[in-house]
Amino acid sequence: MGPGGACWRGGGAGARRWLSSRAPAPRVCVVGSGPAGFYTAQHLLKHHDLAQVDIYEKLPVPFGLVRFGVAPDHPEVKSYGAEDNRILGIPGENLPGVYSARAFVGWYNGLPENRDLNPDLSCETALILGHGNVALDIARILLSPLDLLRKTDITDCSLAALACSKVKRVWLAGRRGPLQVAFTIKELREMINLPGTQPVLNPADFTGLENAVKDAPRPRKRLTELMIKTALQKPGEMAAQAAAARQWGLKFQRSPQEVLPTADGRQARGVRMALTRLEGSGESAKAIPTGDVEELECGLVLSSIGYRSLPLDPAVPFDTQRGIIPNSMGRVEGAPGLYCSGWVKRGPTGVIITTMNDSFDTAQSVLEDLRGGMLDVSVSREGFGAVGSILRSRGVHPVSFSDWEKIDAAEVARGKAAGKPREKIVDPQEMLQLIGH
């Protein structure tokens, strides 16, 4: 199902037959080797002694966007995504200089499909549309000192491009206000303390918010207080801002209307933004255009407004409006024995702990169906034995986990030579040649 979710079929024994040596072992096929797939497999194997799980991945390397996560300098919190990104749906979004966050993140993290993105970093000002952790990650990568990035597993080609980057100012714009930002305090604090950069927050954006968050949940209260503190600081008060050559800032209540082209129509030169007002409060507040607009000059536009999953197969139900597989506790509606997990189950929200708990819930549904005899276990399934035969008959050579370990060892060795944790191989053909396929 791709890195943003997992989909599988289960088949196995009912509770009354679990302890019988004659009972066939439940065979479970997981499609997608991202966090959702692995967490589900982990829960099944932990709570069912006979379960056998096969995990399938479209790439020659496992772990989905744990490997191709949001930021190479955050290896401990590698994030994940879905197969596609949400479009802005505005004129000019296909102009050169406009990129989706998913493609940009994939480019600097070595996702094979994005290795040739070659983003144009020749402008001084970049605009990121979105107020989530992915938006902050991209801003941090654009503005980070190269010495910090060289110690990560960022790809060589993206490091070389960033070394030549002219970007020195990054704005992050969102439709709603400070009380609705989706990033977390850890990521904000890291951005505020980024060496050689100066945060630019307008104190007027935070008027009256100290009282508004007094009774808010603690994470929201602390996050807002940090933004207020940063907005009120005088330039140069923080060590990170000493002789700051670069800036970043947050813009609120601005909704993109159009990406504006240069005179020759060949490049983005800015974005026309509709100013908005908020109706309602808290998480449910809606952004309503006021009728006023402004233009923000920028040569690089990155859309970080969310991800969306894609249909797996015509035989698998899919809600195109919500971008999910219709399900109840992970059970796919109208398809007994088929389950889903991750973003394709609930939509592109939450962090990795959310996906872990969500995956455990789906695995629990599988276990309950096994115990209740809901899955047909009358015939023993071959699992990968059968799939492997089909692949061989088609001339397809699957990459095994031991093959991946060879790729892993090669990447780590290349990284060690360069003083990095690893140097990712970004060309699938090179991966296959390395393992003799």
Side-chain angles (χ1 to χ4, degrees):
M1 206 62 205
C7 184
W8 59 89
R9 285 199 181 276
R16 61 187 177 279
R17 301 180 62 188
W18 271 18
L19 301 180
S20 167
S21 59
R22 293 174 297 168
R27 299 297 301 243
V28 181
C29 163
V30 176
V31 180
S33 69
F38 267 102
Y39 279 131
T40 307
Q42 176 194 14
H43 193 82
L44 289 170
L45 293 169
K46 182 178 179 181
H47 295 283
H48 196 303
D49 292 340
L50 299 178
Q52 297 181 39
V53 181
D54 298 326
I55 302 180
Y56 296 87
E57 167 61 46
K58 66 179 180 180
L59 292 173
V61 291
F63 310 132
L65 287 190
V66 169
R67 172 181 167 94
F68 306 113
V70 285
D73 57 344
H74 278 189
E76 77 287 359
V77 289
K78 285 286 193 179
S79 192
Y80 45 89
E83 288 277 22
D84 203 3
N85 54 277
R86 291 178 180 165
I87 62 169
L88 291 167
I90 60 174
E93 73 174 299
N94 294 319
L95 281 168
V98 183
Y99 307 93
S100 73
R102 185 182 186 280
F104 195 76
V105 168
W107 168 70
Y108 64 63
N109 270 312
L111 187 62
E113 67 189 72
N114 301 129
R115 68 185 187 273
D116 298 323
L117 187 70
N118 193 26
D120 185 350
L121 306 178
S122 62
C123 62
E124 290 192 354
T125 303
L127 172 64
I128 302 173
L129 299 169
H131 278 166
N133 280 341
V134 173
L136 275 187
D137 283 337
I138 292 172
R140 195 176 65 255
I141 294 298
L142 283 171
L143 297 177
S144 282
L146 287 175
D147 286 347
L148 294 181
L149 293 178
R150 285 194 183 100
K151 299 172 185 175
T152 74
D153 67 359
I154 193 169
T155 62
D156 259 0
C157 67
S158 52
L159 186 62
L162 289 165
C164 299
S165 171
K166 299 291 192 292
V167 176
K168 62 180 183 181
R169 187 180 305 106
V170 178
W171 296 110
L172 298 94
R175 290 181 172 91
R176 301 192 295 171
L179 297 182
Q180 289 80 35
V181 295
F183 50 72
T184 50
I185 194 167
K186 178 182 182 293
E187 279 67 27
L188 176 64
R189 187 180 292 117
E190 188 170 2
M191 195 70 206
I192 291 169
N193 294 325
L194 190 65
T197 66
Q198 178 185 347
V200 181
L201 277 66
N202 185 351
D205 289 332
F206 302 92
T207 303
L209 292 193
E210 284 179 317
N211 287 329
V213 294
K214 276 184 178 177
D215 299 321
R218 189 168 181 266
R220 175 65 65 184
K221 184 171 184 279
R222 291 177 62 233
L223 178 64
T224 307
E225 288 172 346
L226 179 57
M227 285 190 285
I228 293 171
K229 177 184 175 184
T230 305
L232 296 177
Q233 276 178 336
K234 295 175 182 176
E237 279 187 352
M238 298 181 68
Q241 299 170 15
R246 298 179 172 189
Q247 293 181 329
W248 67 274
L250 300 172
K251 290 186 176 292
F252 301 102
Q253 294 179 233
R254 284 162 171 81
S255 178
Q257 278 192 330
E258 180 182 358
V259 179
L260 304 170
T262 51
D264 59 11
R266 294 183 179 178
Q267 184 78 18
R269 67 166 178 85
V271 177
R272 179 178 293 117
M273 314 282 282
L275 275 60
T276 66
R277 60 180 175 83
L278 296 185
E279 278 191 1
S281 59
E283 303 296 332
S284 61
K286 303 290 184 185
I288 309 298
T290 63
D292 293 329
V293 298
E294 69 175 21
E295 292 185 5
L296 197 154
E297 295 293 318
C298 55
L300 175 64
V301 181
L302 294 146
S303 169
S304 183
I305 59 170
Y307 296 84
R308 68 186 182 101
S309 296
L310 294 175
L312 175 65
D313 183 89
V316 180
F318 192 77
D319 183 335
T320 54
Q321 290 293 316
R322 299 168 63 199
I324 64 169
I325 293 175
N327 71 91
S328 175
M329 294 296 290
R331 297 177 179 91
V332 177
E333 294 178 6
L338 191 63
Y339 303 81
C340 60
S341 186
W343 283 4
V344 79
K345 171 186 174 184
R346 70 179 190 279
T349 58
V351 292
I352 200 155
I353 190 75
T354 322
T355 288
M356 182 183 74
N357 291 327
D358 168 82
S359 300
F360 290 170
D361 287 344
T362 296
Q364 199 59 36
S365 292
V366 178
L367 293 171
E368 288 172 6
D369 291 351
L370 284 169
R371 291 177 185 132
M374 306 295 291
L375 299 173
D376 178 16
V377 295
S378 58
V379 180
S380 179
R381 266 71 170 187
E382 289 187 63
F384 181 71
V387 174
S389 297
I390 294 171
L391 292 175
R392 284 191 293 274
S393 72
R394 296 176 180 177
V396 177
H397 301 284
V399 176
S400 67
F401 197 82
S402 58
D403 289 333
W404 148 244
E405 289 176 325
K406 295 176 187 174
I407 297 171
D408 180 44
E411 290 185 341
V412 171
R414 294 181 188 186
K416 186 176 182 181
K420 301 167 63 176
R422 75 171 59 240
E423 184 61 56
K424 289 176 185 167
I425 299 170
V426 298
D427 184 352
Q429 289 305 313
E430 186 180 348
M431 295 178 190
L432 297 178
Q433 288 169 8
L434 186 69
I435 59 178
H437 280 205

